[in-house]
Amino acid sequence: MAKAKVTLKVGNDGVAVITIFNPPVNALAIPIVVSLKEKFEEAARRNDVKAIVLTGSGGRFSAGFDINVFENVHESGDVLVMPDVSFDFVLNTLEGSKKPVVAAIEGLALGGGLELALGCHARIAAPRTQLGLPELALGVIPGLGGTQRLPRLVGLQKAIEMMLSSKPILSEEGKKLGLIDAIVSPEELLKVSRSWALEIADKHKPWLRSLHRTDKLGSLSEARETLKVARQQARKTAPKLPHHEACLNVIEDGIVHGGYSGLLMEAKVSKELVLADTAKGLVHVFFAQRATSKVPNVTDVGLKPRQIKKVAVIGGGLMGSGIATALLLSNISVVLKEVNSEYLQKGIKKIEGNVKGLVTRRGLTQDEEQKSLALLKGSLDYSDFKDVDMVIEAVIESVPLKQKIFSELEKVCPPHCVLATNTSTIDLNVVGEKTNSHDRIVGAHFFSPAHVMPLLEIVRTEKTSAQVILDLFTVGKIIKKVPVVVGNCTGFAVNRAFFPYFHSAHLLVNSGVDVFRIDRIIRDFGLPMGPFQLQDLGGYGVALAAGKELSRAFPDRTFKSPLVEILIKNGRNGKNNGKGYYIYEKGSKPKPDFSVLPLIEESRRVTNIMPGGKPLTVTDQEILEMMLFPAVNEACRILDEGIVIRAADLDIASVLGMSFPSYRGGIVFWADQVGPKHIYASLKKWSGLYGNFFKPSRFLEERATKGLPLSAPASSSPSSRSRI
């Protein structure tokens, strides 16, 4: 790879063009920042330089500050690793330059990249350039003056919206707002920027320093009202993310006391936030998601993905229709197979409804909607399977049915066709038992609803070929999923790690703990819903089928609760029929259904595990730990068995598949923050009180005893099933 550098070239017109060269996105690594300062100081000294243009190479301005620096800060605990860029460079060298500086922006200017552009005296952009300050998505706030300069250029309300949402805008909108001075073609960008810089130097255009402007801020009372509304919104939408409110405080300081004061507070708060747990968790998740693209013996052996033009989906239920929708929206032709015309029409209607829903949510055009649906064909037999490149089976969790389907697929599909199953729990060797095509059988485990949830677990057996994994991995990327390759076992990674969480919820309820209290505690921790509401949402049939498979595979650590069967017997099926633990009425939020309490009492009588016949007395913190520590314990077994390539894969899978709060970094990262010793001691105590369900795993015991983090690579783990 070419060495990162900053170049300075002076033209005959007296304009110095300073170019950031750090492929692929011109990240502002520390050496780049140092070099930028040197080049600007050189341009300032030189008598042949009248004006300066700052730009980026390769059609990109800059994607911002190098996030690896945050990781270094987290590892060392030393915030001084981060240089003072805000005052030393952006304020004094760039904005304070005695020669006008124009930013020539193409492709993207994000985070620190946009903050550099804000420090320039004018900004010229190419069409459809992305402009944004996404720092809050990493648990920090803009730290190079963005909290002060952006409101002064686009107005307070829009600046708050851009920062708190972390979403970029395009240069066309930036021009309307006053962030961009002109939009020109990429071919004309440097020429126009040079000319603009000279016109400022010759006093034909205004020399504007963003930090000094106040014309877009409005009156102090208006600004305070805007900030008050924003704070109320932040408390409502991001109650667990204190950096949202910290960002608003910094913005307010600059409005009340002036831009320089705001910069001082921004620098102080930035340093505090970068060391906070929220930033540690979010930065870890960022790198964990990146790491999923590296799959040993698949992405590093020179293989090229085959083109997947046509995919058959078997089963048009909730999962099948969702998978088909995701494929169609990415211009992949789909054959949807069902057992009869009635089910087929229902499946097609679901897909049409999914696509229409995304027209509203994602802003798809009617034309895009029609084009997507034109790629769908329904079928009641295998006649359209002769030229498919991939099949994804998405029928109910029945071993005999899946085995029958796969033995049929082997006969009707072309030899290159990838044979995938969307099973959520069943061992793939069992699914493909009656076939001779073990090398092309792979798990494609989507999460519900499949066209919305971002995770795709790719499950490999010892015989699945690297080419098949790469093909499915590539399709996952095309349909905008995050594919995580995992080894084959019952429940795979996410469902296996979290089945004890659901079993523990039932154990607690049968021990006398209130069902709605458990859900509230889990919501307070940061998950969008508790285990019982989630069970309502998924349907009780799914819960029973998955529970049966997992109990069969791991009988030593399951809790057999009759509660779900009692609910079904009494005509309840969760959200499917509007009655479960909660009442579901159209147009209103789920409400606790207190008429379920006698059924819970019936379950308690059957299990008879309440200590001394009285409800278990536990604190909210104990409930939280009794729910999550068994999941950590199972995660330890998954790590020990090599089901995932790296601990970070289980973290990103828990965030994207189970909605584990991203700011807590994922299940393993969170457990390391809590401390393996505390988790081990708690589980050991509970196993003595309540039985083997809580028995600590060998891996957890070893890590706790040796004082090692759970995420540290195993020194002598068995051959990794995710790498084979």
Side-chain angles (χ1 to χ4, degrees):
M1 186 183 275
K3 194 183 169 196
K5 61 184 177 181
V6 177
T7 61
L8 183 152
K9 285 183 182 168
V10 182
N12 295 331
D13 55 1
V15 176
V17 176
I18 295 175
T19 307
I20 302 165
F21 188 92
N22 189 13
V25 292
N26 297 324
L28 300 173
I30 291 173
I32 290 285
V33 174
V34 171
S35 192
L36 269 171
K37 189 167 189 295
E38 287 168 358
K39 298 299 180 193
F40 268 89
E41 285 170 349
E42 182 189 335
R45 284 193 308 269
R46 286 176 61 161
N47 294 329
D48 60 339
V49 174
K50 288 171 70 180
I52 303 164
V53 168
L54 175 62
T55 193
S57 65
R60 292 180 174 95
F61 186 75
S62 171
F65 199 68
D66 184 1
I67 299 164
N68 289 296
V69 178
F70 291 159
E71 229 184 5
N72 297 342
V73 171
H74 294 159
E75 282 167 14
S76 66
D78 182 10
V79 81
L80 296 175
V81 170
M82 295 174 72
D84 170 19
V85 184
S86 180
F87 285 87
D88 190 39
F89 178 62
V90 182
L91 179 69
N92 297 334
T93 309
L94 188 58
E95 195 170 44
S97 169
K98 301 286 188 290
K99 296 172 184 180
V101 186
V102 172
I105 310 166
E106 187 183 354
L108 48 78
L110 302 173
L114 181 60
E115 289 178 285
L116 290 192
L118 295 173
C120 296
H121 307 119
R123 287 150 295 281
I124 315 299
R128 298 193 65 76
T129 296
Q130 290 187 66
L131 311 163
L133 295 177
E135 286 88 345
L136 271 80
L138 292 171
V140 294
I141 63 171
L144 310 186
T147 62
Q148 304 307 309
R149 292 186 180 91
L150 189 64
R152 286 165 167 77
L153 286 173
V154 302
L156 182 57
Q157 193 151 352
K158 186 64 189 181
I160 289 170
E161 182 194 311
M162 284 175 69
M163 285 185 256
L164 265 58
S165 72
S166 294
K167 287 179 183 167
I169 61 168
L170 293 178
S171 47
E172 286 75 6
E173 188 182 350
K175 170 80 170 65
K176 285 178 193 163
L177 292 165
L179 176 57
I180 298 297
D181 294 289
I183 295 178
V184 298
S185 69
E187 296 76 25
E188 295 281 298
L189 184 60
L190 274 180
K191 182 184 161 192
V192 172
S193 299
R194 298 174 88 113
S195 163
W196 201 288
L198 287 170
E199 286 189 74
I200 296 174
D202 295 337
K203 299 187 170 56
H204 295 147
K205 284 195 187 295
W207 191 322
L208 298 170
R209 290 183 172 89
S210 308
L211 196 66
H212 297 177
R213 290 180 61 177
T214 56
D215 53 299
K216 294 275 186 82
L217 294 178
S219 71
L220 191 55
S221 61
E222 285 171 336
R224 283 199 156 130
E225 186 54 36
T226 302
L227 285 157
K228 181 184 164 190
V229 171
R231 277 197 185 91
Q232 287 167 348
Q233 189 65 18
R235 282 170 197 151
K236 198 171 156 187
T237 57
K240 305 283 179 191
L241 303 174
H243 62 293
H244 282 238
E245 201 152 338
C247 184
L248 294 169
N249 293 342
V250 170
I251 294 168
E252 183 169 31
D253 186 272
I255 290 167
V256 175
H257 302 293
Y260 189 81
S261 172
L263 286 182
L264 288 169
M265 187 174 177
E266 180 191 84
K268 178 178 175 287
V269 172
S270 288
K271 286 186 173 121
E272 290 165 1
L273 288 173
V274 81
L275 286 170
D277 288 345
T278 301
K280 288 176 183 173
L282 290 168
V283 168
H284 174 73
V285 165
F286 175 86
F287 283 108
Q289 184 163 332
R290 266 193 182 177
T292 59
S293 295
K294 292 172 184 165
V295 184
N297 305 321
V298 174
T299 58
D300 57 355
V301 290
L303 285 173
K304 288 193 173 154
R306 296 174 296 190
Q307 200 172 7
I308 306 291
K309 292 178 182 172
K310 188 176 178 184
V311 177
V313 176
I314 301 178
L318 182 68
M319 289 307 298
S321 60
I323 295 165
T325 304
L327 292 161
L328 293 167
L329 289 168
S330 298
N331 296 315
I332 297 171
S333 295
V334 173
V335 175
L336 181 71
K337 182 186 178 297
E338 260 297 358
V339 290
N340 60 44
S341 299
E342 185 195 343
Y343 283 0
L344 183 60
Q345 285 313 307
K346 276 184 182 172
I348 289 170
K349 275 201 165 57
K350 276 196 190 100
I351 293 165
E352 287 170 349
N354 289 343
V355 173
K356 278 188 171 65
L358 290 170
V359 168
T360 314
R361 282 216 305 278
R362 277 197 209 161
L364 294 182
T365 64
Q366 296 293 323
D367 188 42
E368 285 170 322
E369 177 193 346
Q370 283 163 8
K371 273 185 184 166
S372 294
L373 292 172
L375 296 169
L376 175 64
K377 186 179 180 187
S379 181
L380 296 173
D381 54 36
Y382 291 116
S383 56
D384 289 299
F385 281 52
K386 59 185 179 296
D387 61 345
V388 294
D389 303 305
M390 181 179 286
V391 178
I392 302 174
E393 165 273 307
V395 301
I396 57 168
E397 294 285 75
S398 158
V399 170
L401 178 58
K402 288 182 190 286
Q403 288 180 337
K404 177 176 177 286
I405 287 168
F406 273 80
S407 60
E408 290 167 352
L409 289 174
E410 189 177 39
K411 297 183 186 89
V412 298
C413 295
H416 75 276
C417 179
V418 174
L419 306 177
T421 172
N422 178 54
T423 179
S424 56
T425 47
I426 303 169
D427 187 313
L428 261 63
N429 290 322
V430 175
V431 172
E433 202 175 273
K434 295 180 165 37
T435 74
N436 296 309
S437 301
H438 295 280
D439 61 326
R440 55 188 177 129
I441 290 176
V442 66
H445 180 216
F446 291 81
F447 289 73
S448 183
H451 59 295
V452 176
M453 290 293 277
L455 181 65
L456 169 60
E457 269 185 329
I458 295 178
V459 188
R460 66 190 302 179
T461 70
E462 291 177 15
K463 292 176 181 169
T464 309
S465 80
Q467 183 66 59
V468 162
I469 294 158
L470 184 64
D471 292 344
L472 180 55
F473 192 92
T474 307
V475 168
K477 292 274 192 189
I478 289 167
I479 64 174
K480 299 178 178 64
K481 302 295 174 197
V482 177
V484 176
V485 176
V486 301
N488 178 41
C489 65
T490 302
F492 318 130
V494 176
N495 283 350
R496 177 173 166 188
F498 281 89
F499 89 83
Y501 160 84
F502 291 99
H503 284 232
S504 190
H506 278 270
L507 187 149
L508 285 165
V509 163
N510 281 284
S511 300
V513 180
D514 177 56
V515 67
F516 304 116
R517 182 185 176 199
I518 291 170
D519 272 5
R520 174 187 57 76
I521 289 165
I522 293 298
R523 284 196 308 274
D524 288 347
F525 177 74
L527 273 83
M529 63 183 77
F532 296 102
Q533 192 183 342
L534 187 57
Q535 219 163 51
D536 271 359
L537 196 66
Y540 298 159
V542 172
L544 285 178
K548 188 177 164 190
E549 283 298 317
L550 290 156
S551 297
R552 185 188 53 75
F554 312 114
D556 58 320
R557 49 188 187 272
T558 56
F559 174 73
K560 290 180 176 62
S561 167
L563 181 53
V564 174
E565 283 166 331
I566 290 168
L567 293 176
I568 292 169
K569 201 166 63 182
N570 281 270
R572 291 173 188 257
N573 195 20
K575 198 179 176 186
N576 287 341
N577 70 351
K579 276 184 85 67
Y581 301 100
Y582 295 81
I583 297 167
Y584 298 87
E585 290 165 347
K586 215 169 184 179
S588 63
K589 284 183 177 177
K591 296 185 201 75
D593 184 357
F594 297 109
S595 68
V596 80
L597 297 179
L599 303 180
I600 292 170
E601 283 303 328
E602 188 182 329
S603 178
R604 285 171 181 161
R605 281 194 296 275
V606 173
T607 54
N608 193 27
I609 60 164
M610 283 202 284
K614 289 178 181 173
L616 184 68
T617 306
V618 275
T619 65
D620 284 5
Q621 185 61 27
E622 284 171 325
I623 289 171
L624 180 70
E625 293 182 352
M626 287 176 88
M627 295 276 298
L628 291 176
F629 288 3
V632 171
N633 202 23
E634 197 61 38
C636 288
R637 294 184 180 100
I638 289 167
L639 294 172
D640 196 27
E641 292 169 30
I643 299 298
V644 289
I645 296 165
R646 52 188 82 81
D649 284 1
L650 197 47
D651 284 329
I652 194 68
S654 68
V655 167
L656 300 179
M658 262 301 291
S659 299
F660 194 87
S662 56
Y663 57 86
R664 297 193 188 275
I667 187 74
V668 183
F669 184 89
W670 173 77
D672 275 338
Q673 300 291 101
V674 170
K677 281 184 180 173
H678 173 59
I679 296 169
Y680 170 71
S682 302
L683 287 167
K684 196 172 182 191
K685 181 180 83 175
W686 298 330
S687 64
L689 290 170
Y690 312 116
N692 267 352
F693 174 77
F694 290 107
K695 187 182 176 185
S697 64
R698 184 189 63 80
F699 183 92
L700 175 60
E701 182 177 9
E702 186 184 279
R703 295 295 165 111
T705 309
K706 291 181 179 174
L708 291 169
L710 303 180
S711 55
S715 52
S716 59
S717 78
S719 174
S720 173
R721 285 191 245 174
S722 54
R723 293 168 183 257
I724 291 162

